[in-house]
Amino acid sequence: MNEKVLAIRKQFDDRIASISSSKEIEELRIEFAGKKGLVSSLMTELKNVPNEQKREAGQTINELKGYVEETLVNKLKELEEAELKAKIDSQESYDESMPREKKQGSYHPITLVQRQLEDIFSSMGFIVEDYSEVVNDYQCFESLNIPKHHPARDMQDTYYLENGQLLKTQTSAAQNYIMKKYGAPVRAIFPGRCFRNESTDASHENTFFQMEGIMIDKDISISNLIYFMKTMLSEVFEKDINVRLRPGFFPFTEPGFELDIQCLICDGDGCPTCKNSGWLELCPCGMIHPNVLRHGGIDPEEYTGFAFGLGMTRLAMMKYGIKDIRVLNSGNLNALSQFKND
Ligand code: DAH
């Protein structure tokens, strides 16, 4: 039996020394260590060995089995490493100086509209201000003539922090800060992200953008308001826009208005977009309430002003024909990368 074991071991050693790829290892394993392999056949022959030699012979066969299996594992590892190295070495070297294809990104539609509005208002002498998204109750409500328990708060539920601060529900929250910072006279716009507790659907989002504006000076009247709004909208839509004012209620304006524009799709004839009315609601606005001026440190006997809160998200949707508001926060590049800079 010993001789047979030695013969098989020699045969195995010769074979393993001659293989050069990891794929051959499996064949070798079946041939020697498989169920019907040479080592197993020795086990079958064990029954013919005289009883007193059985133990020793069995041990020798087991040792051969262990040797074959271990050698196969080591050889496989060695071959795989060599193959990987050969693959890496054969790869063409990487040339850093080669020009690469550059993919051009694009601005978000809100950014495009915001920049356009900033340009238009800057050219009319307005400063562009930035303001925080986390504000306190005074800034968002109290200073805007909306005391605690005022029903106007119902429509503006938002996300509150543990310290009592909140995510601003309207860009009007910056009015007080701007009045205190610049005093009167002042012309400023302040775009910003707003948040409300909303169930989302095609036209409602919990996160959206507004652009607020104020103009305070001596003798500012509703005609100034109409003039600036009309000029701004005609520039945005690149054609003359007809507007109309309807009464609207906002605690921080007196009087307050809803500014509608004549429907751009049907030119006022009536269509599904404007629900057959010929008009689209676009921009709430009004004359700043004397209490709000007072909160901002401005004397309402001496100065008057107008304010507006343009729905920038809404405007972007109208300008670019976006039907579902949720696209804007989706991060879906297929949809959002269509809006190239003009
Ligand atoms: N902040 C109001 C809102 O989000 C919109 C608004 C109305 C702003 C009238 C104004 C204004 O500045 O004068 O509903």
Side-chain angles (χ1 to χ4, degrees), residues 156 170 172 175 196 210 212 250 252-253 284-286 307-309:
Q156 303 204 5
Q170 47 184 348
S172 312
Q175 283 196 15
R196 287 189 199 176
Q210 290 184 340
E212 189 91 358
F250 308 99
F252 38 94
T253 56
C285 51
F308 59 90

Side-chain angles (χ1 to χ4, degrees), residues 104-317:
Q104 178 146 28
S106 60
Y107 287 113
H108 193 281
I110 299 275
T111 307
L112 292 173
V113 169
Q114 178 175 334
R115 291 194 176 173
Q116 194 189 7
L117 288 169
E118 287 177 1
D119 283 349
I120 296 169
F121 277 102
S122 304
S123 74
M124 297 193 289
F126 282 70
I127 42 173
V128 182
E129 263 287 340
D130 200 10
Y131 195 59
S132 40
E133 291 174 351
V134 178
V135 297
N136 61 33
D137 192 87
Y138 176 78
Q139 292 157 327
C140 203
F141 299 120
E142 295 270 342
S143 69
L144 291 166
N145 216 17
I146 310 176
K148 294 222 163 30
H149 312 300
H150 192 290
R153 289 194 182 209
D154 278 1
M155 279 142 57
Q156 303 204 5
D157 187 20
T158 181
Y159 304 89
Y160 284 82
L161 277 66
E162 273 168 13
N163 65 7
Q165 287 185 303
L166 48 113
L167 299 187
K168 73 167 181 248
T169 58
Q170 47 184 348
T171 39
S172 312
Q175 283 196 15
N176 185 262
Y177 160 82
I178 305 239
M179 287 179 204
K180 283 180 177 154
K181 182 169 173 187
Y182 294 101
V186 61
R187 295 177 189 197
I189 52 164
F190 25 109
R193 191 184 340 229
C194 304
F195 308 85
R196 287 189 199 176
N197 180 5
E198 289 278 6
S199 306
T200 52
D201 62 26
S203 50
H204 292 91
E205 248 293 8
N206 51 32
T207 307
F208 54 95
F209 288 81
Q210 290 184 340
M211 160 98 57
E212 189 91 358
I214 54 172
M215 178 171 182
I216 303 171
D217 208 331
K218 294 193 167 140
D219 301 325
I220 294 291
S221 70
I222 297 169
S223 2
N224 299 102
L225 169 64
I226 295 173
Y227 168 79
F228 279 101
M229 293 295 102
K230 246 189 114 153
T231 311
M232 179 267 292
L233 292 168
S234 301
E235 295 233 10
V236 170
F237 292 105
E238 289 156 10
K239 60 175 171 176
D240 245 358
I241 299 286
N242 290 329
V243 301
R244 74 171 184 191
L245 290 183
R246 282 181 295 123
F249 173 70
F250 308 99
F252 38 94
T253 56
E254 184 53 44
F257 306 105
E258 291 289 355
L259 183 139
D260 299 339
I261 61 170
Q262 199 164 51
C263 181
L264 300 163
I265 313 246
C266 62
D267 282 333
D269 292 341
C271 70
T273 307
C274 60
K275 298 196 189 101
N276 281 324
S277 70
W279 295 92
L280 293 167
E281 198 175 302
L282 189 70
C283 181
C285 51
M287 299 304 292
I288 303 174
H289 195 289
N291 285 350
V292 176
L293 290 173
R294 257 182 231 116
H295 271 295
I298 294 171
D299 181 1
E301 300 296 326
E302 199 180 347
Y303 291 102
T304 49
F306 67 78
F308 59 90
L310 186 67
M312 210 152 57
T313 298
R314 183 116 202 265
L315 189 64
M317 289 172 72

Side-chain angles (χ1 to χ4, degrees), residues 34-57:
K35 263 193 193 149
K36 293 182 183 159
L38 291 172
V39 179
S40 307
S41 69
L42 287 178
M43 284 290 188
T44 327
E45 279 180 39
L46 200 58
K47 57 179 183 287
N48 307 326
V49 174
N51 271 350
E52 61 280 13
Q53 292 168 21
K54 263 202 175 93
R55 210 173 106 93
E56 208 193 319

